Amino acid sequence: MLKIVELCKTYEDGILALHNVCIDIVKGQIFALLGANGAGKSTTINIICGFIPASDGDIWVDDISLKDNPRLMRSKIAYLSENVMLYDNFTGYQNLKFFADISHSEKRKLEKGNISENMEKSLSQKEYLTQILRDVGLQDDFIHVNISKYSKGMRQKVGIAIALVKDAPLLLLDEPFSGLDPKAAYDFQKLLYKLRNEGKTILMSTHDIFRAKEMADIICIMKEGEVVMTKTRDELESEDLNKIYLDYIEGRVAPMPLNMPSISNFVVR
Amino acid sequence: MLKSLLEHELNNLLKSKRIYTTVIMFLLLFVSIFVVRVIDYQKQVNQYIDDVLQNEEGLRSAENYSFINPRAIQQPIVFSIYNDGFKIPRVLNIQYYEPIIYAESLNEEDNIFFIDNNQLDITFLITFFLSLFILLISYDSVNGEKRVGTLRILMTYPLKRQTFILKKMFGVFFFVAITFTIPYVISFVSIIYMFVNILSINFLLSAFFYWLLTMLFILFFSLLGIFISCCSTNPNRSLVYSLLVWILFRIVLPISWDYIIYPRLYDEQVLHLRTIQGDKQYEKTRVEFDVNPHWSGNFIQYSGEGFYNSWVFAFKETMDGRDQLLRYMYDEVYPLTFEVEQARDDVIRYLINTENVKNWVFFFNPIVLFNNLSMKITGNSRGDYLRFLHSARELRNELVSLGIEEGWLLDYRFNAYVPEKYNVLDYDVLYEQVEGDYERMGEFVHEFIGDDRYEMRLPVFRRYEQPIYSFGEIFERIFVYLVLFVVSIVVLWVMTWRKFLKYDVR
């Protein structure tokens, strides 16, 4: 689903933010990126989203290259930031409708009308969007209330609804649990499980080691712009992730060798 | 896609309190200025109607007069409501052998709203307030979204960056364009309702071009605001940049032209041309005063406060002398009249040239372009003044030629005729008759002129109307500068687009 190959990023001031980052995520997995501040987690996500250009390397989502077709690749991803910021003058429903409109019209343009549009099958657009907001757990009373009156958890829900409406197979979550109260975090976690079960692939960066271990199928630790460890849930089951994390971060353990396939292995012509 | 974005942008703008306040302020200013200008225009129209009636009356009894005083040649220009422009004097005294020697609008005297060099018109509203308001609306259009965080979400959608800029540009543009167009259209309907006989193709054309020019102006400033917004990640900083750019465009550059560039480049030549005009004027006046009194009688001139007129009259007893006077006028004074007019035209033409150069120097400044183009569109430019002068002279020449054709010139065509019974032989006697009052001297001449033999048909005063321009003519007047305007918008668009391509959306 997501292949990141030898991704490098050097900023204009010479700071090396990423160095040969390689990540491979299979469809339907939750992938957690751990690391200290400045490790390169957000930079990686920023490059996938197209916010900043990569200095070297490439990214494939569903075999679509960022270098070759950045616009089409962006149609395959949905992004949710730490603080889901939406248009405060609009209600949750209006925000969702706006992003639904641009999402569908762009997809129609890119894929020449070959998309499944649930809303046009049986439900009207309003019913469809309202249903999605309900599905992500937003109470009916708040659907038509201005976003400015939403709590952070409610904003996260609308953010997820926006991602769902976009119908993107890959979700990028930047510190999604930061600042959420336990109940909201629990609800959000359940929502992510549900999405994974529906076949969505999730890449999230987080500082929350325990939740990462609980949720993620693969955990990756980054340090100073490099991937120093990638392990599956099974490999980590009997280990203390907190200790492993600190060992890597404090340099007590050498980085794991990375065995990434060559680019030609997964490019579908 | 763009439609959804645009719809959203407009909705977003509509829900912003800051923008709501700005729009209300703009509408209030529009209404205030419009009302003041309409009252001013109404007074001009009233005065014009009085002038026309007076003039018609003069024409009706013109067979008894030796001079014609076409006081109301042109209607007050409707567009003075929108653009006062270069003030064209509406009331002129034109006399045979005389250039247009003095011009004033009687309306200026008793109209409290009428101020010399008054700039408080809709054009001022646009170039001063609207430009500022557009920048205040658009200064944070990009970095504001970045600060809120929605820009990042938008950029994960497969929309092109230029589409986003288009969304922003057209969002601000449509919003401001609608805000301007609604009161503009209402004001037009009001004018048509208030003033009869205003509606004409010419009027609609001017209205259309003025609107079109305003739309270009709004487009430019919308883009400028967005460009400034792309130049900084901090909305507060871009607000300061916007204000500085506005001060530069609206105040510093125009002032630099008036006080630095213009004096260095043109003052000397303007002074030279004005000196030539002054010399010619002096020469003509000297020749006028040089008339031999034994030829005809008297050549009397008087001047009141700001008023200058001349009267020539002859007496039956001195017919030969009067003929000599006429010949002298024809041979000496009339050619000098043309020379004075020519020198005056040279000054005006030169000033028009300097204004055109100003357009090219400030091709990047839409405020200068808008000011100049709106004057050309609405018929209030210096060029229109020149055209008006020519028109008035044509009228005078027409009267002269009529006199010649009818054979009146050698009789009493343009000369006062004083009946024999008064036996006024010379200036001194006449002066005594009116007890030294020059004003009464004029009245005296009016009162006692009369001779059925000299009845004549005067030309119709066909210029009791607005100047007429065709679509092609207006377009031709503004075409080059319109192209400049569009080019500057395209250049700004490319700059904004390139800037946003490199914009860090994180």
Side-chain angles (χ1 to χ4, degrees):
Chain A
M1 161 53 62
L2 173 69
K3 308 272 187 193
I4 299 177
V5 180
E6 295 171 354
L7 192 66
C8 296
K9 175 67 188 175
T10 308
Y11 286 111
E12 285 172 3
D13 52 11
I15 293 173
L16 184 70
L18 293 179
H19 179 61
N20 281 344
V21 171
C22 298
I23 291 172
D24 187 0
I25 310 176
V26 178
K27 188 182 177 193
Q29 281 185 336
I30 294 181
F31 188 98
L33 273 178
L34 290 174
N37 289 334
K41 308 185 296 293
S42 294
T43 305
T44 307
I45 290 179
N46 284 338
I47 294 174
I48 300 171
C49 291
F51 298 158
I52 49 173
S55 304
D56 201 4
D58 202 359
I59 297 168
W60 278 264
V61 176
D62 258 0
D63 301 327
I64 295 159
S65 160
L66 176 68
K67 271 185 183 168
D68 297 342
N69 200 340
R71 282 183 66 211
L72 186 57
M73 202 207 87
R74 285 210 299 276
S75 71
K76 305 282 180 190
I77 60 170
Y79 169 73
L80 198 65
S81 61
E82 178 183 351
N83 296 307
V84 180
M85 299 312 286
L86 300 164
Y87 294 100
D88 278 353
N89 294 328
F90 292 88
T91 64
Y93 173 80
Q94 285 168 333
N95 267 288
L96 183 62
K97 183 177 180 303
F98 167 61
F99 285 107
D101 285 345
I102 59 170
S103 165
H104 280 271
S105 56
E106 268 308 303
K107 275 204 164 185
R108 201 174 290 125
K109 206 190 292 175
L110 288 168
E111 300 177 11
K112 295 173 185 169
N114 260 340
I115 60 163
S116 59
E117 289 180 14
N118 297 334
M119 71 184 80
E120 287 170 15
K121 281 180 183 170
S122 55
L123 299 171
S124 69
Q125 189 194 28
K126 189 171 182 182
E127 287 167 345
Y128 172 69
L129 297 180
T130 309
Q131 190 55 49
I132 287 200
L133 285 170
R134 284 187 190 129
D135 288 350
V136 296
L138 194 70
Q139 292 169 4
D140 277 6
D141 295 347
F142 282 93
I143 288 175
H144 296 290
V145 170
N146 264 19
I147 284 280
S148 54
K149 292 175 182 157
Y150 280 24
S151 67
K152 188 176 177 191
M154 289 159 78
R155 282 168 178 266
Q156 292 276 43
K157 286 170 184 170
V158 178
I160 282 289
I162 288 171
L164 287 178
V165 164
K166 192 177 177 184
D167 201 22
L170 175 64
L171 293 181
L172 301 169
L173 313 178
D174 197 359
E175 314 276 0
F177 293 98
S178 151
L180 288 183
D181 65 61
K183 170 74 170 66
Y186 175 70
D187 289 345
F188 191 63
Q189 190 175 331
K190 277 204 305 186
L191 197 57
L192 293 184
Y193 283 142
K194 189 181 163 199
L195 292 174
R196 180 180 60 183
N197 296 338
E198 287 169 3
K200 304 279 186 199
T201 308
I202 297 168
L203 167 67
M204 62 176 185
S205 76
T206 182
H207 291 294
D208 191 338
I209 293 169
F210 300 103
R211 205 173 295 279
K213 188 177 179 189
E214 190 179 347
M215 289 180 66
D217 300 305
I218 300 178
I219 291 173
C220 167
I221 297 176
M222 291 186 77
K223 184 191 172 188
E224 293 169 0
E226 293 187 44
V227 173
V228 290
M229 186 213 84
T230 307
K231 283 191 175 177
T232 62
R233 181 208 299 269
D234 295 338
E235 288 170 332
L236 289 167
E237 195 161 10
S238 56
E239 295 192 46
D240 182 356
L241 181 59
N242 197 28
K243 182 174 178 302
I244 293 173
Y245 175 79
L246 289 175
D247 285 345
Y248 277 111
I249 295 301
E250 287 169 8
R252 290 195 287 266
V253 180
M256 285 173 65
L258 297 171
N259 297 314
M260 282 298 296
S262 68
I263 294 171
S264 58
N265 286 356
F266 52 79
V267 173
V268 178
R269 301 284 178 193
Chain B
M1 171 68 170
L2 192 59
K3 185 171 164 271
S4 314
L5 287 166
L6 205 53
E7 203 177 299
H8 175 262
E9 185 68 19
L10 287 171
N11 277 330
N12 200 14
L13 286 168
L14 271 176
K15 289 182 177 180
S16 158
K17 278 180 191 166
R18 164 167 62 95
I19 288 158
Y20 193 68
T21 317
T22 312
V23 168
I24 296 286
M25 205 185 294
F26 173 76
L27 292 179
L28 282 175
L29 278 168
F30 190 105
V31 172
S32 315
I33 291 175
F34 179 71
V35 169
V36 168
R37 298 303 303 199
V38 164
I39 292 170
D40 174 57
Y41 181 70
Q42 179 63 61
K43 283 176 179 284
Q44 287 190 52
V45 168
N46 292 343
Q47 186 64 53
Y48 166 73
I49 291 166
D50 288 348
D51 289 346
V52 168
L53 289 175
Q54 186 187 355
N55 202 37
E56 294 295 344
E57 179 58 34
L59 283 173
R60 270 196 294 278
S61 54
E63 66 272 14
N64 294 327
Y65 284 99
S66 64
F67 70 97
I68 296 159
N69 194 8
R71 299 190 65 81
I73 290 177
Q74 194 180 65
Q75 278 182 12
I77 293 176
V78 185
F79 259 91
S80 64
I81 292 169
Y82 293 91
N83 186 343
D84 201 36
F86 184 81
K87 195 162 282 169
I88 297 177
R90 189 170 51 78
V91 181
L92 294 178
N93 290 318
I94 303 172
Q95 284 191 310
Y96 185 45
Y97 295 132
E98 287 291 325
I100 298 167
I101 53 173
Y102 182 72
E104 69 169 336
S105 168
L106 300 180
N107 188 43
E108 291 175 24
E109 293 168 9
D110 56 357
N111 183 357
I112 57 164
F113 297 103
F114 203 103
I115 308 160
D116 265 351
N117 301 316
N118 183 9
Q119 278 203 323
L120 194 67
D121 51 20
I122 301 295
T123 298
F124 178 74
L125 174 75
I126 291 168
T127 56
F128 195 93
F129 290 105
L130 191 63
S131 56
L132 183 62
F133 288 166
I134 298 170
L135 290 178
L136 289 179
I137 288 174
S138 59
Y139 77 90
D140 64 344
S141 50
V142 174
N143 54 23
E145 278 220 31
K146 180 181 172 174
R147 173 171 274 198
V148 171
T150 44
L151 183 60
R152 274 191 294 177
I153 300 180
L154 272 175
M155 286 299 112
T156 59
Y157 283 78
L159 76 143
K160 292 177 183 166
R161 288 204 172 194
Q162 49 266 55
T163 311
F164 177 78
I165 289 293
L166 277 180
K167 166 212 174 189
K168 285 291 168 192
M169 183 183 80
F170 283 124
V172 177
F173 170 74
F174 280 130
F175 187 78
V176 181
I178 291 167
T179 307
F180 173 78
T181 304
I182 290 172
Y184 183 69
V185 171
I186 292 172
S187 68
F188 256 85
V189 174
S190 314
I191 290 173
I192 292 165
Y193 179 75
M194 282 186 285
F195 303 105
V196 288
N197 300 330
I198 288 294
L199 190 58
S200 66
I201 292 293
N202 190 238
F203 176 70
L204 292 176
L205 275 178
S206 297
F208 168 73
F209 274 109
Y210 192 83
W211 176 82
L212 183 72
L213 195 63
T214 312
M215 292 302 109
L216 287 177
F217 185 85
I218 294 171
L219 194 59
F220 184 96
F221 271 91
S222 307
L223 257 176
L224 186 64
I226 293 165
F227 177 76
I228 291 169
S229 188
C230 289
C231 289
S232 168
T233 52
N234 184 344
N236 293 336
R237 196 170 291 170
S238 62
L239 175 61
V240 174
Y241 291 162
S242 296
L243 292 175
L244 288 177
V245 166
W246 181 81
I247 290 170
L248 179 76
F249 276 16
R250 184 63 186 83
I251 298 170
V252 176
L253 289 178
I255 285 181
S256 72
W257 172 267
D258 290 342
Y259 293 97
I260 300 171
I261 304 173
Y262 184 88
R264 280 162 200 264
L265 292 180
Y266 302 115
D267 259 6
E268 200 177 318
Q269 182 63 12
V270 171
L271 189 66
H272 173 66
L273 290 173
R274 284 198 196 282
T275 309
I276 292 175
Q277 186 200 334
D279 290 348
K280 298 282 180 195
Q281 184 74 49
Y282 172 74
E283 194 181 344
K284 178 177 170 296
T285 311
R286 190 180 54 75
V287 170
E288 278 178 351
F289 276 97
D290 216 21
V291 173
N292 184 340
H294 299 295
W295 284 344
S296 59
N298 292 284
F299 185 87
I300 302 165
Q301 293 185 320
Y302 67 91
S303 63
E305 187 182 347
F307 187 78
Y308 176 87
N309 207 339
S310 73
W311 302 76
V312 179
F313 51 96
F315 309 100
K316 275 189 175 177
E317 293 78 5
T318 57
M319 188 68 86
D320 290 341
R322 182 186 51 76
D323 287 346
Q324 284 177 35
L325 170 70
L326 284 173
R327 289 192 194 291
Y328 176 77
M329 297 291 266
Y330 249 131
D331 295 342
E332 307 291 334
V333 182
Y334 207 36
L336 283 171
T337 299
F338 284 128
E339 284 182 24
V340 173
E341 287 174 355
Q342 193 58 48
R344 179 177 303 202
D345 287 0
D346 287 346
V347 176
I348 297 171
R349 281 200 199 94
Y350 189 74
L351 293 175
I352 292 170
N353 275 344
T354 63
E355 279 167 7
N356 290 338
V357 171
K358 186 180 178 183
N359 279 341
W360 287 99
V361 170
F362 294 119
F363 71 93
F364 56 89
N365 187 350
I367 288 175
V368 172
L369 283 181
F370 187 88
N371 261 331
N372 214 319
L373 288 187
S374 60
M375 284 199 283
K376 287 179 191 291
I377 286 171
T378 55
N380 269 331
S381 66
R382 225 180 266 271
D384 290 297
Y385 178 56
L386 190 61
R387 178 179 164 140
F388 178 53
L389 281 180
H390 288 172
S391 177
R393 287 173 200 156
E394 268 174 35
L395 181 63
R396 179 199 58 196
N397 293 343
E398 202 172 322
L399 294 173
V400 172
S401 68
L402 188 65
I404 292 167
E405 280 167 17
E406 298 292 325
W408 288 322
L409 188 64
L410 293 177
D411 284 315
Y412 296 92
R413 169 61 181 78
F414 288 103
N415 295 281
Y417 172 69
V418 180
E420 191 177 357
K421 61 182 175 179
Y422 286 98
N423 197 22
V424 182
L425 293 177
D426 55 32
Y427 172 78
D428 293 336
V429 177
L430 179 63
Y431 190 78
E432 281 171 21
Q433 286 277 340
V434 296
E435 297 170 352
D437 186 341
Y438 289 125
E439 292 287 341
R440 279 191 59 203
M441 193 179 286
E443 289 167 16
F444 181 84
V445 174
H446 275 264
E447 195 178 337
F448 299 108
I449 297 167
D451 192 325
D452 294 342
R453 290 179 303 159
Y454 309 115
E455 187 180 343
M456 57 187 247
R457 189 180 300 156
L458 289 161
V460 177
F461 276 65
R462 64 190 186 287
R463 291 173 184 80
Y464 284 169
E465 56 190 20
Q466 302 271 329
I468 305 292
Y469 305 113
S470 65
F471 181 88
E473 197 174 347
I474 296 181
F475 194 71
E476 194 185 326
R477 285 157 73 95
I478 63 172
F479 175 72
V480 178
Y481 305 109
L482 214 54
V483 169
L484 261 188
F485 215 142
V486 173
V487 167
S488 61
I489 288 172
V490 171
V491 169
L492 189 57
W493 157 250
V494 172
M495 283 168 63
T496 311
W497 167 49
R498 301 286 298 172
K499 191 84 188 162
F500 189 63
L501 274 184
K502 293 175 185 168
Y503 191 74
D504 185 355
V505 298
R506 287 173 298 159

